[in-house]
Amino acid sequence: MLRSRPPRAALLGVLLVTVLAACSGQGADADPTEGPTGSESVVSDGASPVVFAFECDDDGGDRERYTTYSAVWEAERSSCTAHRLTGSVPSEQQQAAVRAAGGAATLVELAATCADTGTAPWTTAVTTRRGAQLAAALLRYCPGHPETDRLRDALITYRG
């Protein structure tokens, strides 16, 4: 006779998702100021929100890997690239940011730019329509970025 183990399988599934979310810094207990969490997303069975990891330049010219936005921001890194860590469906927040970009950036580009600090577009004036679209998208995508106020001010000045 075969024994069914749905409760154990379900528990293992929940534990796996919890571990993956905790490792990526994007779980339910993540700091809401860290950036996109995917928590706003309603996904179908078997799907999960997209979570990124980042490779950024370090002070010695090497590439260093980070799994949360806050870790990159704390290290004050730039020239980051984003790599999908897990997930298959962009969250509602991610989808709204891509729509706001109006073709100025993809989801992966927004994720990478959200990780960067101390560089454009975070530190420069908004001077073009494309720049305004990118700024609006970033403000939606990563409202917890440490240079959000500066970017918001630049966008307001442009729209002035």
Side-chain angles (χ1 to χ4, degrees):
M1 177 168 125
L2 293 174
R3 285 185 7 172
S4 176
R5 296 186 185 191
R8 177 178 274 169
L11 178 60
L12 288 174
V14 168
L15 287 172
L16 178 60
V17 169
T18 303
V19 168
L20 286 173
C23 289
S24 69
Q26 302 295 324
D29 294 331
D31 182 347
T33 64
E34 285 187 3
T37 63
S39 63
E40 298 175 13
S41 180
V42 177
V43 295
S44 62
D45 292 335
S48 60
V50 175
V51 177
F52 293 97
F54 312 96
E55 287 185 10
C56 308
D57 288 345
D58 69 7
D59 294 333
D62 294 325
R63 303 286 284 173
E64 197 166 327
R65 187 172 177 96
Y66 299 89
T67 56
T68 65
Y69 288 98
S70 60
V72 180
W73 298 338
E74 185 177 314
E76 297 179 344
R77 298 294 178 229
S78 62
S79 299
C80 297
T81 55
H83 304 279
R84 186 178 297 215
L85 184 63
T86 186
S88 57
V89 179
S91 69
E92 290 177 18
Q93 179 182 5
Q94 291 169 331
Q95 291 173 33
V98 170
R99 282 191 305 272
T106 65
L107 179 59
V108 173
E109 292 167 332
L110 289 173
T113 305
C114 183
D116 285 342
T117 57
T119 63
W122 298 103
T123 59
T124 58
V126 174
T127 59
T128 65
R129 180 174 183 261
R130 185 175 190 283
Q133 289 173 308
L134 179 59
L138 288 168
L139 291 171
R140 282 184 184 259
Y141 188 84
C142 47
H145 191 283
E147 296 164 322
T148 296
D149 291 341
R150 191 178 309 166
L151 185 61
R152 184 177 296 114
D153 290 346
L155 182 58
I156 289 169
T157 299
Y158 172 80
R159 290 178 174 168

